[in-house]
């Protein structure tokens, strides 16, 4: 017989603006942010017990301490390390000890195999005791990773277990340990493979749905739409013009073109993010301004990439007509697993009545004078609720709770208390 457990977790996402080549400064600034955070959790008088419990899990961005934009193997060579020798691992151990929490952090990994050196874009997980419990390598690579010969994760997407002592509650109110099925997706893992695969495969979300993930952790360096990408398609003159326009805009926000603002945002109040339509919403502003507010264009896009986890009325129709059964049994459906857009041959919606948590920690700031990151780190709960009229595929969808987002342009920390159900 299965029972429903109520899980209560406290999570913190740490949004950073690391700059390539400035590891020391990036680490020092992150500590000053973490100390500010710790002061907020502790009562003013020293020696007293913490009034507010520390987080159970802290998540940092992709390449959180090194900066993201590396352009060659030589460029990245002094920043890649074996997992346990990485400054990011030692940093994560200190964070785990300081807050008695799990720590997830993105870092550049150097791995030796059969006399060959392989480079990966990875995220490591450290337990509250400071032990390495998992290391995930990015599966889907983005443009810059090809510049430094990054390898794809040979295992593809993966799940692993994270145990939270005493964080589960039985229907009779007993507190018990709970082990959550967890996965990590690093940034481009959320996109269609090489931007070439069919959008509707939703590879990462479908993998998680089919493997019954309960906790999805995404360290990211996701770009804001004001970034200047694909530089090779512009003439020298156009390039300079575009970069000057970007610099002008940053000046208006009082931001240096390089470097970090050191103006921290601490969001500890459990307030939700207002829902905003992708299109025509008066609050959706695609320009890089209002740095303390989330970039709702990207928030909506991320929710869309988790479409298998959100309620959609059309699935009932597909189910009645047996469309999914036919689609999944077709020979050419090699690309598909056992679900398509959240539907399966067995159920209109595989995720109905389930819960899952998405923790998405993105970096912010600018690199190279061209790449603007979207920040907006956020906490989401997919609640598996159904409404026969639901057709929204963005933050207006009632089956996803927007438990809070940081702004698009500031370093900071968002702390949230989660409550969700798992079946055991
Ligand atoms: N799709 C992501 C973007 O456009 C990829 C970036 C990344 O993998 N860091 O921002």
């Amino acid at each position: 017989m299965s029972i429903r457990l109520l899980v209560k977790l406290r999570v913190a996402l740490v949004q950073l603006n690391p700059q390539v080549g400035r590891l020391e400064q990036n680490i020092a600034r992150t500590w000053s942010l973490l100390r500010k955070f710790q002061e907020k959790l502790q009562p003013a008088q020293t020696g007293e017990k913490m009034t507010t419990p520390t987080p159970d899990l802290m998540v940092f961005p992709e390449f959180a301490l090194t900066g993201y934009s590396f352009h060659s193997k030589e460029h990245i060579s002094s920043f890649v390390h074996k997992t346990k020798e990485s400054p990011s691992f030692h940093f994560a151990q200190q964070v785990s000890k300081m807050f008695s929490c799990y720590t997830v952090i993105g870092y550049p990994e150097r791995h030796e195999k059969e006399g060959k050196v392989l480079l990966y874009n990875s995220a490591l997980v450290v337990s509250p005791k400071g032990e390495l419990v998992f290391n995930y390598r990015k599966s889907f690579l983005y443009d810059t990773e090809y510049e430094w010969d990054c390898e794809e994760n040979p295992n593809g997407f993966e799940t692993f277990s994270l145990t939270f002592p005493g964080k589960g509650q039985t229907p009779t109110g007993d507190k018990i340990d709970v082990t959550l099925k967890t996965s990590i997706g690093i940034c481009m893992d959320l996109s269609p493979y090489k931007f070439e695969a069919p959008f509707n495969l939703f590879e990462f979300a479908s993998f998680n749905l089919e493997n019954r993930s309960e906790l999805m952790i995404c360290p990211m360096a996701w770009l804001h739409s004001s970034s200047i990408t694909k530089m090779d398609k512009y003439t020298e003159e156009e390039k300079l013009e575009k970069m000057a326009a970007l610099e002008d805009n940053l000046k208006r926000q009082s931001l240096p073109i390089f470097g970090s603002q050191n103006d921290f945002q601490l969001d500890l109040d459990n307030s939700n993010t207002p829902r905003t339509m992708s299109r025509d919403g008066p609050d959706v502003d695609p320009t890089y301004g209002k740095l303390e507010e989330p970039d709702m264009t990207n928030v909506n896009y991320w929710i869309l990439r988790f479409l298998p986890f959100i309620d959609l009325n059309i699935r009932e129709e597909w189910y009645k007509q047996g469309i999914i059964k036919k689609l999944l049994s077709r020979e050419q459906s090699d690309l598909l697993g056992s679900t398509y857009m959240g539907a399966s041959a067995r159920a209109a919606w595989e995720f109905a009545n389930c819960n899952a948590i998405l923790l998405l920690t993105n970096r912010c700031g600018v690199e190279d004078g061209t790449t603007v990151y979207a920040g907006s780190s956020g906490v989401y709960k997919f609640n598996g609720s159904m409404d026969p009229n639901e057709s929204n595929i963005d933050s207006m969808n009632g089956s996803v709770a927007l438990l809070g987002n940081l702004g698009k342009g500031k370093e900071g920390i968002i702390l949230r208390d989660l409550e969700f159900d798992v079946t055991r």
Side-chain angles (χ1 to χ4, degrees), residues 1 71 94 135 153 211 214 246 285 292 307 313 414:
M1 211 192 70
H71 298 296
Q94 284 172 275
N135 183 54
N153 184 352
N211 287 280
E214 293 154 331
L246 183 63
D285 175 6
E292 62 297 331
L307 181 129
N313 55 359
I414 179 170

Side-chain angles (χ1 to χ4, degrees), residues 261-280:
Q261 57 270 39
N262 228 337
D263 167 14
F264 300 134
Q265 184 178 25
L266 285 175
D267 179 346
L268 317 182
D269 67 359
N270 276 323
S271 63
N272 287 6
T273 302
R275 298 174 188 276
T276 311
M277 265 190 280
S278 299
R279 265 179 278 266
D280 314 322

Side-chain angles (χ1 to χ4, degrees), residues 59-62 104-106 123 184-187 217-221 359 361:
V59 184
F60 291 78
E62 178 177 19
V104 179
I105 189 166
I184 296 181
I186 305 179
C187 208
I217 302 174
C218 298
M220 321 248 280
L359 305 177
T361 307

Side-chain angles (χ1 to χ4, degrees), residues 62 68 121 138 140-145 186-192 195 219-224 229 298 301-302 362 372-374:
E62 178 177 19
Y68 177 68
N121 178 332
K138 191 174 186 174
F140 291 4
L141 305 183
Y142 181 62
D143 304 6
T144 55
E145 270 106 37
I186 305 179
C187 208
M188 186 70 189
D189 282 333
L190 271 54
S191 296
F195 293 125
M220 321 248 280
W222 193 285
L223 276 58
H224 186 268
T229 55
N298 262 326
Y301 185 79
W302 294 326
N362 195 23
V372 185
Y373 298 96

Side-chain angles (χ1 to χ4, degrees), residues 20-39:
V20 163
R22 301 188 188 180
L23 186 69
E24 302 290 306
Q25 289 103 312
N26 297 336
I27 293 177
R29 205 175 55 261
T30 306
W31 279 120
S32 71
L33 169 59
L34 289 172
R35 275 192 292 272
K36 281 216 168 81
F37 175 61
Q38 193 190 32
E39 276 162 28

Side-chain angles (χ1 to χ4, degrees), residues 3 5 164-170 173-178 424:
I3 55 158
L5 285 183
F164 295 92
K167 295 295 172 178
Q169 191 179 311
T170 64
D174 296 325
K175 297 268 189 333
I176 60 167
D177 297 355
V178 63
R424 289 294 178 272

